[in-house]
């Protein structure tokens, strides 16, 4: 078995070295792919011969630094063109701000309206945008039109007090739940909007002496422009802005050039129409046509399942090699265009998939079949043996049930057995309380490694010499019990090199005890923020750490039989072993977490920096919520800064990072070593990936699998040049880790040796 898996890994190695150069085309042959930092994928193109039609013609003005891209026929500056694999949207700078001010006599002194007209283009205003109004006792009215239908709407700003003592008012991100007294409101814009006008008017029809402030404002922008996830920082404005027509602009520079998200589509006919006359059909081989659902006709193309790339180019959609990217099979994986197949070697049966039945030796089954087909007395024997076995099992179960003491019951032992089919816990052992007492010197204070929200963690040595970390839960109440059982069940199913291993648990004590592998080198948080080990946090190491975490999460999300969402990704939950290989864990051991908590008033705020804003709003946790949290960790790695700022005034790290991305000033926020060592394009790709992960809308975030793939490919392209640059010591570290990837990424093969895999120090 071990020999087999060795050859298997060598095989994977060979495959990898052959395939990672495969990249898909971005533009038509001979066309420029970049305008400054912006990648221009077809149907967009620089020059009329490079774009599909005039709507997608980009003018790249290179006389500015960095160069800027403009839509040729509208003159809007394009700041982002989203990857076709994630959605057909672009982001443009579109100056739009409505202002209305009155003088003390009640005459309107300043008045401007918002007016957007995209009717002669292939673009429409995307749903990601909001109309936001700020002021007191004002009505903002919006009128718009798509192809056939028109709509109208608006919202009211109300204020309850005029106490302007240099304070701020907040615009919360909850669309329906804005605080009426806080002088702001917002409303949505339907998908497919082509023409749009918005203007401000006083609620009472005219100015009156009682009006609290003379000015009000309205603008349209994507949700990040104002408010969005960063309620406490970017979604606030100084009250005194409402006193003069220009103050708001100077205090909120983002608003002066808000970025608008636009949907784009091909032509004005839908898929069924265009498929009748294929002369103008834009979707190339291995792609599919989707109607644009904005009610204005048109369609978009997407690569078919199992393919990735640019669906608008010949050979643009290329096969995803699932075998190399996801390791979906137990033994033999064969990649086909658009699909893959698992199979088992001779003598084994099953579907061969990690997520399916895998490969099992067939000898036993074939013996059983032979016996049952054979002599009838054999059948009788078999049946009676089976009955005996079953009776014995039932008897044992009954006996065991009787024996369970009250602690076992109270600690969720029964629940645990329910959850794990027939009590199978994989390699997780039920350990006697005596052994753990001995291992930790009766839970001596000198053995405490850390204290987290869930319990205390002790260092201990089991009787067989293995060093372990033992988590002693706080007193168990009903809610915590479920969480606890959950952790045991989930961890005992997982076997991944970047996920902390659960070795056993003990339910006989007053509070449950969990036994983990011991990871000596602290948390990622320590390494980033308190680390003094200079060479370890090189750019390459960071890239490897990010790729490892992403790989582990992608595995949790997709490679296991049931998707597992971590729900609390943060740098303090990522531990490091003695080789500085990261392990995702679920228990806060580090002392610094406790220190940080004292700076923050509530626990909710303590993890706020990592929480998916969409989850906060909808309370629905999705796989994309983990992606968001991972994005925050990625930003932490890029910037070396903590996600939660210490002072209320300072913007949070995510906000500052996104701002720096939007304004193309990413260098200003990067960690010194990152900008020194990483190639600019490579760092930017990682930053853009982080930006994608932090998208306010979960559906536009990449999946963990995409993220992992992307990071691995960035990492692979950097390996050769960077290994040389590292010190000799670092070199061997990197190389050995690189090799390790193969031996443990599919460690289900040698699960028989797993208990020996951690060091005994
Ligand atoms: C576009 O292509 C046509 C023919 O292929 C050529 O005559 C023309 O000069 C090209 N235009 C530009 C701007 O390159
Ligand atoms: C390019 O940008 C510069 C500076 O903003 C401007 O002066 C120039 O007219 C632009 N060129 C074109 C061709 O738009
Ligand atoms: C506007 O101001 C003028 C004087 O400048 C005044 O005559 C007029 O009545 C004012 N209008 C209103 C509606 O107060
Ligand atoms: C703004 O729109 C309103 C309503 O259509 C109109 O009365 C007003 O004159 C417009 N103001 C400007 C400056 O265009
Ligand atoms: C205005 O607010 C400040 C601080 O919030 C407070 O000290 C002051 O008393 C308030 N003034 C009025 C008139 O409410
Ligand atoms: C496509 O457009 C035609 C004509 O407008 C319409 O009859 C048909 O229902 C549309 N098909 C879909 C799938 O929307
Ligand atoms: C198919 O579409 C092309 C270009 O849009 C047009 O020139 C041609 O006449 C169409 N053919 C038919 C049969 O409608
Ligand atoms: C089962 O029987 C078949 C022939 O019926 C034979 O080829 C095979 O070797 C037998 N398997 C075992 C495990 O005895
Ligand atoms: C731990 O403490 C208990 C009493 O508190 C004692 O009975 C037991 O012997 C101690 N075990 C060890 C290993 O010190
Ligand atoms: C990490 O582990 C090494 C040995 O495995 C040790 O020398 C080093 O001090 C550890 N660093 C931290 C921060 O714990």
């Amino acid at each position: 078995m071990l020999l087999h898996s060795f050859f298997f890994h060598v095989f994977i190695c060979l495959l990898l070295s052959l395939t990672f150069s495969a990249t898909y085309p971005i533009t038509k042959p001979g066309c420029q792919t970049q305008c400054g930092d912006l990648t221009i994928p077809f149907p967009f193109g620089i020059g009329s011969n490079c774009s599909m039609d005039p709507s997608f013609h980009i003018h790249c003005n290179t006389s500015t630094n960095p160069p800027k891209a403009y839509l040729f026929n509208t003159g809007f500056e394009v700041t982002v063109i989203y990857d076709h694999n994630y959605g057909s949207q672009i982001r443009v700078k579109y100056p739009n701000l409505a202002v209305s001010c009155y003088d003390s006599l009640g005459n309107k002194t300043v008045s401007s309206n918002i007016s957007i007209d995209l009717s002669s283009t292939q673009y429409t205003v995307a749903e990601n945008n909001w109309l936001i109004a700020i002021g007191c006792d004002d009505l903002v009215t919006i009128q718009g039109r798509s192809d056939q239908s028109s709509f109208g709407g608006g919202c009211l700003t109300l204020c309850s007090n005029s106490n302007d003592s240099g304070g701020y008012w907040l615009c919360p991100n909850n669309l329906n739940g804005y605080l009426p007294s806080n002088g702001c409101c917002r409303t949505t814009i339907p998908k497919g909007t082509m023409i749009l006008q918005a203007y401000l008017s006083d609620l009472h029809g005219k100015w009156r002496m009682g009006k609290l402030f003379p000015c009000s404002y309205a603008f349209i922008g994507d949700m990040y422009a104002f408010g969005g996830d960063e309620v406490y920082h970017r979604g606030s404005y100084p009250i005194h802005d409402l006193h003069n027509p220009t103050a708001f602009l100077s205090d909120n520079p983002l608003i002066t050039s808000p970025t608008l998200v636009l949907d784009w589509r091909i032509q004005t006919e839908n898929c069924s129409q265009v498929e009748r006359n294929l002369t103008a059909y834009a979707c190339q081989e291995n792609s599919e046509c989707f109607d644009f659902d904005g009610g204005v006709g048109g369609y978009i193309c997407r690569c078919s399942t199992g393919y990735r790339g640019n669906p608008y180019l010949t050979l643009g959609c290329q096969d995803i090699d699932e075998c190399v990217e996801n390791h979906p099979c137990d033994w033999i994986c064969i990649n086909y265009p658009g699909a893959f197949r698992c199979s088992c070697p001779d003598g084994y049966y099953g579907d061969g998939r990690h997520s399916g039945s895998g490969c099992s030796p067939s000898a036993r089954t074939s013996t059983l079949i032979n016996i049952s087909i054979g002599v009838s007395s054999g059948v009788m024997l078999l049946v009676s043996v089976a009955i005996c076995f079953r009776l014995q099992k039932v008897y044992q179960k009954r006996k065991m049930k009787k024996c369970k003491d009250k602690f076992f019951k109270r600690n969720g032992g029964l629940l645990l057995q329910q959850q794990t089919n027939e009590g199978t816990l994989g390699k997780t052992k039920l350990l006697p309380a005596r052994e753990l007492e001995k291992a930790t010197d009766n839970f001596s204070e000198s053995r405490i490694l850390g204290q987290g929200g869930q319990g205390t963690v002790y260092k201990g040595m089991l009787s067989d010499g293995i060093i372990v970390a033992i988590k002693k839960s706080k007193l168990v109440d009903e809610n915590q019990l479920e969480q606890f059982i959950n952790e045991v069940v989930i961890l005992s199913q997982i076997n991944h090199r970047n996920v902390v291993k659960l070795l056993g648990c003990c339910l006989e004590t007053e509070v449950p005890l969990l036994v983990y592998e011991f990871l000596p080198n602290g948390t990622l948080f320590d390494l980033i923020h308190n680390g003094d080990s200079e060479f370890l946090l090189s750019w390459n190491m960071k890239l490897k750490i990010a790729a490892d975490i992403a790989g582990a999460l992608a595995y949790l999300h997709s490679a296991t039989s049931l998707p597992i969402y971590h729900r609390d990704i943060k740098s303090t939950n990522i531990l490091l072993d003695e080789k500085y290989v990261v392990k995702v864990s679920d228990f806060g051991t580090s002392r610094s977490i406790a220190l940080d908590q004292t700076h923050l008033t509530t626990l909710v705020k303590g993890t706020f920096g990592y929480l998916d804003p969409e989850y906060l709003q909808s309370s629905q946790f999705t796989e994309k919520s983990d992606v968001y949290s991972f994005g925050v960790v990625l930003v932490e790695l890029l910037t070396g800064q903590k996600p939660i700022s210490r002072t209320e005034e300072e913007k949070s790290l995510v906000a500052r990072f996104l701002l720096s991305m939007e304004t193309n000033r990413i260098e200003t926020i990067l960690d010194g070593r990152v900008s020194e060592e990483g190639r600019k394009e490579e760092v930017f790709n990682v930053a853009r990936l982080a930006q994608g992960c932090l998208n306010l809308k979960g559906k536009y975030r990449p999946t963990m699998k995409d993220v992992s793939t992307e990071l691995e490919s960035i990492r692979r392209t950097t390996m050769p040049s960077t290994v040389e640059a590292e010190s000799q010591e670092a070199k061997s570290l990197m190389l050995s880790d690189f090799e390790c990837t193969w031996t443990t990424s599919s460690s289900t093969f040698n699960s028989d040796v797993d208990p020996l895999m951690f060091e005994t120090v």
Side-chain angles (χ1 to χ4, degrees):
M1 187 124 166
L2 280 173
L3 198 65
H4 268 286
S5 66
F6 171 74
F7 283 121
F8 176 77
H9 295 137
V10 170
F11 176 63
I12 291 282
C13 267
L14 285 174
L15 268 183
L16 267 180
S17 57
L18 290 177
T19 51
F20 71 66
S21 57
T23 48
Y24 44 82
I26 295 166
T27 57
K28 279 173 127 177
C31 290
Q32 201 180 324
T33 53
Q34 300 280 129
C35 177
D37 283 336
L38 184 71
T39 303
I40 317 278
F42 190 75
F44 296 89
I46 299 171
S48 52
N49 280 3
C50 288
S51 52
M52 182 182 283
D53 65 43
S55 269
F56 301 112
H57 183 168
I58 300 274
H59 165 66
C60 185
N61 187 343
T62 47
S63 58
T64 57
N65 185 24
K68 288 183 176 170
Y70 297 90
L71 285 181
F72 188 70
N73 60 356
T74 59
F76 305 152
E77 187 190 336
V78 184
T79 57
V80 181
I81 298 175
Y82 288 97
D83 188 325
H84 300 337
N85 296 299
Y86 300 142
S88 299
Q89 292 191 325
I90 59 171
R91 212 190 257 222
V92 297
K93 283 194 177 163
Y94 195 121
N96 68 73
L97 180 75
V99 187
S100 156
C101 293
Y102 295 85
D103 65 15
S104 58
L105 291 175
N107 278 335
K108 232 180 195 180
T109 54
V110 179
S111 167
S112 64
N113 293 348
I114 294 173
S115 172
I116 293 175
D117 185 352
L118 298 167
S119 56
S120 55
T121 71
Q122 292 301 106
Y123 303 94
T124 55
V125 179
E127 279 176 302
N128 313 42
N129 303 291
W130 280 343
L131 171 66
I132 298 168
I134 282 167
C136 283
D137 291 356
D138 285 291
L139 176 66
V140 60
T141 310
I142 183 170
Q143 290 169 341
R145 204 152 61 68
S146 67
D147 198 15
Q148 317 268 304
S149 56
S150 56
F151 72 93
C155 66
L156 271 177
T157 62
L158 297 170
C159 301
S160 60
N161 81 69
S162 61
N163 188 354
D164 174 13
S165 49
Y168 285 74
W169 277 346
L170 303 177
C171 284
N173 67 344
N174 187 339
L175 185 59
N176 302 315
Y178 63 86
L179 293 173
S181 55
N182 273 359
C184 75
C185 73
R186 63 188 77 193
T187 184
T188 50
I189 297 167
K191 191 169 186 179
T193 299
M194 288 173 154
I195 298 177
L196 187 156
Q197 259 139 20
Y199 57 89
L200 287 157
S201 48
D202 189 83
L203 176 57
H204 304 281
K206 59 178 175 49
W207 182 88
R208 61 198 165 83
M209 288 312 282
K211 188 166 169 60
L212 295 173
F213 297 101
C215 289
S216 53
Y217 312 90
F219 59 93
I220 294 174
D222 92 66
M223 298 175 202
Y224 275 129
F226 203 81
D229 62 331
E230 288 302 325
V231 181
Y232 298 101
H233 301 290
R234 295 174 62 188
S236 62
Y237 66 94
I239 298 161
H240 63 75
D241 281 355
L242 298 178
H243 285 300
N244 90 54
T246 51
F248 188 76
L249 297 182
S250 55
D251 286 347
N252 300 280
L254 258 190
I255 312 302
T256 46
S257 56
T259 58
L260 201 58
V261 180
L262 303 180
D263 289 319
W264 56 269
R265 65 194 194 281
I266 309 284
Q267 298 165 10
T268 50
E269 295 181 309
N270 62 24
C271 292
S272 46
Q273 287 168 313
V274 82
E275 273 162 4
R276 257 183 267 134
N277 177 2
L278 291 177
T279 25
Y281 186 50
C283 306
Q284 304 297 319
E285 60 274 75
N286 301 325
S287 72
E288 281 161 43
C289 180
F290 291 87
D291 286 336
F292 177 69
D293 59 355
V296 290
Y299 62 93
I300 55 171
C301 309
R302 289 253 165 85
C303 289
S304 313
T305 322
Y307 292 87
R308 180 171 52 205
N310 190 334
Y312 302 98
L313 289 171
T314 318
L315 296 178
C317 286
Q318 297 192 351
D319 178 40
I320 300 173
D321 192 341
E322 290 89 353
C323 294
V324 172
E325 288 192 5
N326 311 331
H327 306 292
C329 304
D330 263 8
W331 285 81
I332 300 158
C333 182
I334 300 160
N335 182 53
Y336 291 105
F340 64 94
R341 209 187 70 198
C342 300
S343 58
C344 295
D346 286 350
Y348 289 76
Y349 72 96
D351 64 9
R353 295 184 179 226
H354 281 329
S355 56
S357 60
C359 291
S360 318
S362 62
R364 210 180 307 154
T365 23
S366 85
T367 311
L368 283 179
I369 289 167
N370 282 6
I371 288 174
S372 60
I373 290 176
V375 201
S376 58
S377 62
V379 176
M380 295 292 285
L381 187 70
L382 191 69
V383 167
S384 52
V385 164
I387 288 172
C388 275
F389 265 117
R390 223 164 263 171
L391 278 178
Q392 198 192 355
K393 237 183 189 174
V394 168
Y395 176 71
Q396 269 182 347
K397 253 188 194 167
R398 217 174 266 170
K399 198 171 149 195
M400 260 177 68
K401 239 179 220 165
K402 267 188 193 167
C403 292
K404 272 169 207 154
D405 63 12
K406 66 172 184 185
F407 283 143
F408 185 80
K409 275 186 193 161
R410 208 192 69 183
N411 287 342
L414 294 174
L415 187 51
L416 185 59
Q417 283 200 330
Q418 258 172 31
Q419 290 237 0
T420 60
N421 261 342
E422 293 173 272
T424 48
L425 269 181
K427 294 170 301 300
T428 310
K429 288 188 282 188
L430 286 175
L431 293 163
R434 245 177 308 112
E435 163 131 30
L436 297 184
E437 266 173 20
K438 227 170 95 190
T440 57
D441 271 349
N442 252 352
F443 299 102
S444 142
E445 281 197 4
S446 63
R447 296 295 191 92
I448 293 183
L449 287 172
Q451 240 153 349
Q454 276 190 31
T456 311
V457 181
Y458 298 86
K459 183 176 177 177
M461 183 160 51
L462 297 182
S463 50
D464 47 4
I466 293 175
I467 306 273
V468 293
I470 300 174
K471 180 163 80 169
K472 189 174 182 183
S473 310
K474 288 187 177 157
L475 271 179
V476 173
D477 69 25
E478 286 294 311
N479 279 345
Q480 281 178 330
L481 189 69
E482 213 162 294
Q483 265 181 13
F484 168 80
I485 295 298
N486 215 32
E487 182 166 352
V488 175
V489 170
I490 285 176
L491 280 178
S492 62
Q493 288 168 349
I494 297 173
N495 195 350
H496 190 278
R497 69 184 292 254
N498 298 118
V499 177
V500 71
K501 281 198 184 57
L502 178 71
L503 305 176
C505 62
C506 173
L507 304 173
E508 300 171 0
T509 45
E510 190 178 5
V511 291
L513 302 167
L514 292 184
V515 182
Y516 299 90
E517 63 179 316
F518 176 65
L519 298 166
N521 271 31
T523 67
L524 182 59
F525 183 91
D526 292 336
L527 192 62
I528 297 176
H529 305 295
N530 315 332
D532 47 8
S533 11
E534 260 302 302
F535 92 94
L536 280 156
L537 265 185
S538 65
W539 167 240
N540 288 320
M541 199 61 198
K542 286 188 168 181
L543 210 49
K544 176 177 153 45
I545 285 174
D548 279 353
I549 303 169
L553 294 179
Y555 172 82
L556 294 181
H557 283 187
S558 56
T560 49
S561 53
L562 277 175
I564 294 167
Y565 303 146
H566 186 283
R567 289 166 170 258
D568 196 14
I569 300 295
K570 52 182 172 181
S571 53
T572 44
N573 272 345
I574 292 160
L575 307 181
L576 299 147
D577 74 4
E578 65 290 331
K579 284 179 186 158
Y580 290 93
V581 174
V582 291
K583 307 250 181 187
V584 177
S585 91
D586 200 14
F587 60 112
T589 53
S590 87
R591 199 178 279 144
S592 59
I593 194 182
L595 281 183
D596 274 4
Q597 274 169 357
T598 62
H599 288 278
L600 298 160
T601 45
T602 65
L603 198 65
V604 176
K605 263 194 163 180
T607 48
F608 183 77
Y610 295 91
L611 265 186
D612 173 13
E614 198 174 62
Y615 170 48
L616 267 184
Q617 195 178 330
S618 68
S619 309
Q620 285 197 324
F621 196 94
T622 67
E623 66 170 326
K624 298 298 181 66
S625 309
D626 271 352
V627 175
Y628 182 91
S629 309
F630 174 77
V632 180
V633 175
L634 206 50
V635 172
E636 237 178 308
L637 280 168
L638 282 171
T639 62
Q641 299 175 30
K642 298 182 186 178
I644 304 159
S645 25
R646 292 293 167 92
T647 54
E648 280 294 317
E649 304 83 55
E650 198 181 294
K651 288 173 175 172
S652 82
L653 177 60
V654 169
R656 280 182 288 126
F657 171 76
L658 289 173
L659 180 60
S660 77
M661 283 299 280
E662 276 161 16
T663 53
N664 261 329
R665 284 197 314 250
I666 180 72
E667 321 77 43
T668 58
I669 197 172
L670 287 177
D671 174 54
R673 275 197 83 176
V674 168
S675 38
E676 257 168 49
E677 293 171 4
R679 275 188 299 130
K680 194 174 175 232
E681 155 203 344
E682 173 186 306
V683 174
F684 187 73
N685 279 340
V686 175
R688 190 142 52 178
L689 192 63
Q691 191 189 24
C693 294
L694 295 173
N695 194 310
L696 185 64
K697 280 213 162 181
K699 66 177 172 180
Y700 296 119
R701 292 175 206 147
T703 62
M704 263 340 288
K705 208 193 288 177
D706 296 331
V707 174
S708 167
T709 309
E710 180 73 26
L711 283 171
E712 282 296 347
S713 75
I714 293 172
R715 213 181 132 224
R716 268 183 227 126
T717 56
T718 72
M719 279 316 266
S721 62
T722 48
V723 167
E724 282 168 25
E726 291 287 324
S727 71
Q728 201 59 27
E729 200 176 352
K731 189 171 172 178
S732 69
L733 184 78
M734 295 298 285
L735 284 177
S736 70
D737 283 342
F738 198 55
E739 278 163 14
C740 279
T741 313
W742 324 127
T743 55
T744 43
S745 66
S746 48
S747 48
T748 39
F749 293 107
N750 43 25
S751 54
D752 44 343
V753 298
D754 274 346
L756 301 176
M757 274 174 62
F758 30 86
E759 307 288 327
T760 50
V761 185

